[in-house]
Structure formats: structure tokens, C-alpha cells
């Protein structure tokens, strides 16, 4: 909200109702961490937040989605145990499934609420903040002058233009899907990123007729073609996916069997044929966009690029150039992951403190992402294209298939592939990509190895217990070691470990 024309800068200054050393805008993961850190030094601090005083993770992200996946996995195991000689059919109570998601979400949120309630009332403001042309923060009836500003306004689901009006009540996003009181009969999921994949598979396993659409013939943003193709192969066994499809129109049409209307999607499939999908809901999972443009950060000297990403951003601290402005968490569009937002908030909250005191700044974490579909998808460190684009890197790819890996086959989860990218000059791991069972744990081990600069020999000197799925990691590391010692030659590496 800019000041009215004809009002002088002095008049604006007289309207200031509060002066603070630090103002934190946004009370998600990053904002709360920043507030806690800065509060250790400064008493003259305020945190401003619009909407729920909890985190994206708890309210609409990590936790409710994993609660849904937990129910889906139990249903899937019950319905797919015949190969073990166990014959059963799950009876799914959709209302109870969705109620538990919300009840447990409330349980997690209660811990955050208890913490927020413990903060002094005069340091909390509920309302939408706006930075005016004088760099002052306007919220409700207050005008606040802050020496240092930490922006942690998070992100919102991206909805293609016009879709909200065309789809109406049949449109769902990750912000609204968990409010369903019962499982729908059918659903289209648009977007095969982490959110789209996880929710599409979870609802499928819970008996919903799900169709997944994605413009690219890729899932989870995988950049290693072999891993991507293997992921598609594994997921195709239970998911209906239209990859490489182009959606031309969406909307609703009369349908007597579905409260008078049903959603539809007109699309061109990968073969160039025009098709139409019809069903109860369309879940749009086409990513999230930061909530920064409407804030007015340009009045603090912050420049944004054409995608609303702040320029001159320090990935270590979130600081913008040499300004006393820090943009952290999803708001900076660096890495929209909870552990990254947490670290950025902590670092920003430390940085704004007294410079005479040594502030501990968390180093940028090793890039690490997990998609909690089944099989799981993990990326760690540098991606294959990033490695290939660096002419100074001489690399090899260690490989293991989980299709015949001992413990994986015992458990009936034997579909997967792991690639480890090793540097021939340093004997270190550059990165890895994987689809397969227990990928979240293998990913953590690899991230720890990269973070602590462990070489391949040191990795192989650690014990790998038999029989475990983790033995597959050892096979891939051995393949890296072997290829470092000889000229590169592709060979199929399967982990049997009997």
C-alpha cells in the first residue's frame, strides 16, 4: 500500500507506529526459525503473519501427504499379498481415512501452536503485510519501521490461467485436497512432480480411479534418462499415466450421476490423438510459486527476475546483496524443501544478530530430494547434466539394478535402479539418482558421504549387513570403484546377494 500522492516523506515518517530492530514477515518453517534465533539477541522484534500460524509442511505438505500415503500403503499390502500366500481384501472407509489425516495433522500442528502461543503477544501481528514506497511495513492499522527485514512468506500452488473459473468446485490443489471429507470416486492429477506422484499413487491405492497427466515424458523431474525410464516402468505397474500429453482445455459439464456436474480434460496424447478424460475432481499439482510479488519488496531495494526470484541472493544466509534484507524458505525459490527452509531461517536469524558475536551460519546442504512414492525416488548431489556440463569433471557411473536384489525380492519390492556418479580424479561421489526400495535411507547415506567428503574406499570399508536392501548400495559403489580403475565400459550390474 503506497502513500497517497501529495503526502511528503516527513508526513509518512510521522505515521510510524512502531520501530523495531528486526521484522520477520511470515511464520512458516523459515520464519519461525529466524524469529527464534533473532529473539535470542533482540527484544525489539516483531513477526507478522497472514493465515495459519503453522508450517506448509504440517498444514498442506509433508505431514498430511505422508498420512495419506501411510493409509494407502496398508491398503496396498492387504490387497497385494497373494504372492505370499496371504489372501485378503482391504475394506477402505474413505471418511475415516480422511478424518485421520486431519486429526493427526491437528496433533502435529498443536506443537507449533503451543510454541507460537508462548511468544509475547506484542511481538506477534496477524495480518497481511505490505511494504510501502518508503520501505515501511504496513499491516492492519500499524506502520512499522524495521532496521532489518526477514521475508519468509512461503509459496502457493500454481494454477494455470483460467482453470479455477472453468473447473470451479471440481478443482483441487495440495492446499485443499486434504479437506475432502471422503475419498472421491475418480480424479485426474495434473503434474508428475513429487506432489503429483505421491498423491496420485496414494489415492489409487485407496481405490480412487486416478489418471495422471504430465506434459513431459518424465516423472519427479528426473534428469538421468535411465533412472527416469526405470521409474516410469515401475510406476506404470499400478498407475494410469498419460506422459507427454498436452492439455488443451478443462471445464465441467452436466452429469446426473455426479451432483449435476463433472470435470473434464481435453488433451492430445503422446501419439498425437485427441482424447477426453471425465471424472469427479482435477487435482492440479503443477508446482508452487512464491508469495513475494505482492509484498512490495522492491521498495526495500530488492530486485526480482522475470520469475519473481530475488536477485543477488546469498544461498548461505538469504541476504540480498549488502541490504539488511533476508529472503528465506520458499519465498526465495532456491530449494523449496523443509530442511533447506529451516537452515535458511536459522542462518538469517543468526546473521541479523550483533555482528560482534560470532554467528553460526549453516553451510548450504548437499542437494537432496526424496519422492515418497513406491518405489521411492531420490536425487543427491550433482545431477548427471550438471556433471556432463563441467568439462573438468572426469566421471564414471556405478550402477545396480534392484530387480533381482536379494532382500528386495524377498520383500516383493524388487523394481529399481541406482546410479552413483563418481569422480575419477578425487575418488569421491559427485551425486546419485535412484528409484527403488529404501531409497530414502540409501539417499541419506550418500548425502552424508558427500557432505563429509568420504571417498569410495572409505564407503566400502563400512559394514553392509546381510541380507538388507542396503547391500545394493555396496554393489553400486564397487561398480564405481571398478570403473575408476579401468577404461569405462558399460556392463549390467545386478545385486543378487544371496
Amino acid at each position: 500500500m503506497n502513500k497517497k500522492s501529495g503526502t511528503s516523506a516527513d508526513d509518512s515518517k510521522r505515521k510510524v507506529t512502531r520501530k523495531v530492530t528486526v521484522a520477520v514477515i511470515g511464520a512458516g518453517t523459515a520464519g519461525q526459525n529466524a524469529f527464534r534465533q533473532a529473539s535470542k539477541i533482540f527484544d525489539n522484534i516483531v513477526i507478522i503473519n497472514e493465515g495459519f500460524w503453522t508450517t506448509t509442511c504440517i498444514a498442506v505438505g509433508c505431514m498430511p501427504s505422508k498420512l495419506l500415503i501411510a493409509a494407502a500403503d496398508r491398503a496396498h499390502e492387504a490387497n497385494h499379498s497373494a504372492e505370499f500366500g496371504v489372501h485378503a481384501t482391504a475394506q477402505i472407509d474413505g471418511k475415516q481415512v480422511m478424518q485421520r489425516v486431519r486429526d493427526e495433522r491437528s496433533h502435529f500442528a498443536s506443537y507449533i501452536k503451543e510454541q507460537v502461543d508462548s511468544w509475547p503477544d506484542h511481538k506477534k501481528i496477524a495480518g497481511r503485510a505490505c511494504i510501502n514506497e518508503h520501505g515501511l511495513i504496513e499491516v492492519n492499522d500499524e506502520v512499522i519501521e524495521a532496521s532489518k527485514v526477514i521475508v519468509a512468506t512461503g509459496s502457493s500452488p500454481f494454477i494455470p490461467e483460467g482453470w479455477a473459473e472453468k473447473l470451479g468446485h471440481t478443482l483441487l490443489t495440495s492446499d485443499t485436497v486434504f479437506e475432502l471429507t471422503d475419498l472421491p470416486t475418480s480424479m485426474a492429477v495434473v503434474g508428475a512432480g513429487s506432489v503429483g506422484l505421491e498423491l496420485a499413487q496414494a489415492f489409487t491405492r485407496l481405490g480412487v480411479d486416478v489418471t495422471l497427466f504430465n506434459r513431459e515424458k518424465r516423472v519427479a523431474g528426473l534428469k538421468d534418462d535411465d533412472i527416469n525410464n526405470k521409474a516410469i516402468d515401475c510406476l506404470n505397474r499400478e498407475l494410469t499415466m498419460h506422459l507427454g500429453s498436452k492439455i488443451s482445455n478443462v471445464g465441467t459439464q452436466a452429469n446426473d450421476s455426479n451432483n449435476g456436474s463433472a470435470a473434464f480434460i481435453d488433451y492430445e496424447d503422446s501419439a498425437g490423438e485427441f482424447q477426453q478424460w471425465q471424472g469427479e475432481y482435477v487435482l492440479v499439482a503443477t508446482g508452487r510459486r512464491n508469495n513475494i510479488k505482492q509484498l512490495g519488496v522492491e521498495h526495500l531495494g530488492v530486485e526480482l527476475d522475470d520469475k519473481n526470484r530475488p536477485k543477488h541472493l546469498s544461498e548461505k544466509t538469504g541476504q540480498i546483496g549488502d541490504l539488511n534484507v533476508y529472503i528465506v524458505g520458499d519465498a526465495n525459490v532456491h530449494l523449496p524443501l523443509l530442511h533447506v527452509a529451516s537452515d535458511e531461517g536459522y542462518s538469517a536469524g543468526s546473521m541479523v544478530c550483533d555482528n560482534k558475536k560470532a554467528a553460526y551460519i549453516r553451510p548450504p546442504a548437499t542437494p537432496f530430494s526424496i519422492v515418497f512414492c513406491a518405489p521411492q525416488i531420490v536425487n543427491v548431489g550433482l545431477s548427471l547434466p550438471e556433471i556432463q556440463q563441467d568439462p573438468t569433471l572426469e566421471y564414471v557411473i556405478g550402477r545396480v539394478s534392484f530387480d533381482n536384489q536379494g532382500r528386495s525380492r524377498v520383500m516383493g519390492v524388487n523394481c529399481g535402479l541406482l546410479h552413483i556418479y563418481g569422480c575419477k580424479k578425487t575418488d569421491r561421489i559427485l551425486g546419485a539418482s535412484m528409484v527403488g526400495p529404501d531409497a530414502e535411507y540409501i539417499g541419506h547415506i550418500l548425502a552424508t558421504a558427500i557432505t563429509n567428503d568420504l571417498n569410495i574406499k572409505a564407503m566400502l570399508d563400512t559394514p553392509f549387513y546381510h541380507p538388507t536392501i542396503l547391500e545394493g548400495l555396496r554393489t553400486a559403489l564397487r561398480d564405481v570403484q571398478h570403473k575408476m580403475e579401468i577404461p569405462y565400459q558399460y556392463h549390467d550390474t545386478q545385486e543378487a546377494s544371496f
Side-chain angles (χ1 to χ4, degrees):
M1 204 172 357
N2 295 332
K3 68 166 188 157
K4 296 179 180 178
S5 58
T7 304
S8 69
D10 289 339
D11 290 335
S12 175
K13 286 292 184 181
R14 281 196 294 269
K15 291 180 1 183
V16 170
T17 60
R18 191 191 307 201
K19 292 185 178 181
V20 298
T21 305
V22 181
V24 180
I25 305 176
T29 298
Q32 290 188 23
N33 267 9
F35 180 77
R36 283 194 297 268
Q37 286 303 112
S39 294
K40 293 178 181 178
I41 301 298
F42 298 115
D43 184 62
N44 191 14
I45 182 172
V46 67
I47 184 167
I48 305 164
N49 186 66
E50 181 185 23
F52 51 77
W53 285 74
T54 180
T55 67
T56 296
C57 168
I58 288 176
V60 296
C62 320
M63 303 315 289
S65 64
K66 302 312 167 286
L67 285 162
L68 190 73
I69 290 170
D73 287 348
R74 279 158 176 76
H76 181 77
E77 289 171 6
N79 288 327
H80 295 81
S81 297
E83 66 175 294
F84 298 93
V86 179
H87 301 274
T89 301
Q91 295 185 5
I92 300 169
D93 184 334
K95 291 182 178 179
Q96 187 175 346
V97 168
M98 299 309 297
Q99 188 62 53
R100 180 177 186 271
V101 169
R102 288 190 295 277
D103 287 347
E104 288 298 309
R105 178 180 64 177
S106 296
H107 173 76
F108 292 124
S110 67
Y111 294 102
I112 301 296
K113 183 179 184 300
E114 182 179 341
Q115 176 180 263
V116 171
D117 287 346
S118 72
W119 298 341
D121 288 341
H122 70 279
K123 295 184 180 181
K124 297 178 293 188
I125 300 176
R128 172 176 288 190
C130 180
I131 300 167
N132 69 23
E133 61 186 14
H134 302 293
L136 303 174
I137 302 169
E138 298 185 8
V139 55
N140 302 338
D141 296 326
E142 292 209 55
V143 179
I144 300 170
E145 181 179 337
S147 301
K148 303 171 184 179
V149 178
I150 299 175
V151 176
T153 46
S155 61
S156 300
F158 171 74
I159 301 172
E161 186 176 356
W163 281 30
E165 293 77 15
K166 290 181 178 181
L167 289 168
H169 73 276
T170 68
L171 172 70
L172 295 172
T173 69
S174 58
D175 278 8
T176 61
V177 67
F178 304 113
E179 306 310 316
L180 290 173
T181 57
D182 199 351
L183 293 170
T185 56
S186 58
M187 174 187 294
V189 176
V190 181
S194 58
V195 173
L197 273 183
E198 289 180 4
L199 295 181
Q201 187 179 60
F203 279 113
T204 295
R205 290 183 164 190
L206 289 166
V208 180
D209 183 5
V210 177
T211 303
L212 178 64
F213 294 90
N214 200 55
R215 175 176 284 272
E216 292 186 280
K217 291 185 177 181
R218 291 191 178 275
V219 295
L222 285 167
K223 298 178 181 179
D224 184 316
D225 288 343
D226 289 342
I227 303 297
N228 180 65
N229 291 336
K230 187 62 180 180
I232 293 171
D233 174 57
C234 295
L235 292 165
N236 260 332
R237 300 178 186 186
E238 61 178 294
L239 281 178
T240 299
M241 298 193 291
H242 292 303
L243 304 179
S245 60
K246 298 177 182 177
I247 295 175
S248 57
N249 192 27
V250 299
T252 60
Q253 57 193 14
N255 186 330
D256 293 337
S257 64
N258 188 34
N259 297 324
S261 65
F264 72 83
I265 295 176
D266 292 329
Y267 66 99
E268 180 183 344
D269 64 23
S270 59
E273 298 291 330
F274 288 94
Q275 310 279 357
Q276 186 181 79
W277 171 91
Q278 293 184 28
E280 191 172 354
Y281 289 105
V282 175
L283 171 59
V284 178
T286 50
R288 297 178 72 90
R289 300 293 186 272
N290 66 354
N291 297 326
I292 201 172
K293 187 175 183 180
Q294 64 270 32
L295 184 61
V297 291
E298 68 275 11
H299 299 311
L300 295 174
V302 177
E303 297 179 60
L304 301 177
D305 65 15
D306 57 355
K307 295 183 179 179
N308 292 329
R309 297 173 299 193
K311 297 180 180 179
H312 315 300
L313 172 78
S314 167
E315 293 183 2
K316 287 186 177 181
T317 65
Q319 186 171 13
I320 306 302
D322 58 0
L323 300 174
N324 281 320
V325 180
Y326 302 77
I327 301 180
V328 294
D330 288 5
N332 67 30
V333 203
H334 169 221
L335 285 173
L337 300 170
L338 181 136
H339 69 278
V340 176
S342 177
D343 288 349
E344 289 177 352
Y346 181 98
S347 295
S350 298
M351 277 290 291
V352 298
C353 295
D354 192 342
N355 289 330
K356 294 180 181 179
K357 297 178 181 284
Y360 174 68
I361 306 303
R362 295 183 185 276
T366 297
F368 183 22
S369 65
I370 304 173
V371 182
F372 291 90
C373 53
Q376 294 176 337
I377 296 171
V378 159
N379 290 292
V380 185
L382 296 177
S383 68
L384 184 57
E386 288 173 328
I387 294 169
Q388 292 172 332
Q389 289 167 11
D390 188 338
T392 66
L393 292 177
E394 188 178 356
Y395 71 96
V396 299
I397 301 177
R399 180 182 187 275
V400 64
S401 168
F402 286 85
D403 292 359
N404 199 37
Q405 197 268 338
R407 182 65 183 279
S408 299
R409 190 171 181 85
V410 166
M411 303 300 293
V413 292
N414 51 311
C415 189
L417 179 66
L418 167 63
H419 279 182
I420 297 177
Y421 316 125
C423 179
K424 293 190 73 170
K425 291 182 180 179
T426 64
D427 192 37
R428 300 301 193 272
I429 297 170
L430 298 169
S433 188
M434 175 182 177
V435 56
D438 279 1
E440 59 183 294
Y441 307 113
I442 292 173
H444 273 94
I445 292 171
L446 291 168
T448 298
I450 295 172
T451 301
N452 291 280
D453 200 29
L454 298 180
N455 61 26
I456 302 299
K457 181 181 182 302
M459 291 288 292
L460 286 169
D461 283 344
T462 61
F464 289 84
Y465 203 86
H466 175 78
T468 62
I469 291 173
L470 289 172
E471 287 178 289
L473 172 59
R474 179 181 59 189
T475 301
L477 290 168
R478 283 175 173 171
D479 196 38
V480 171
Q481 188 179 60
H482 173 70
K483 288 172 179 173
M484 284 180 174
E485 295 171 352
I486 63 172
Y488 179 80
Q489 182 178 359
Y490 175 85
H491 65 284
D492 186 27
T493 307
Q494 291 240 28
E495 171 58 60
S497 63
F498 303 134

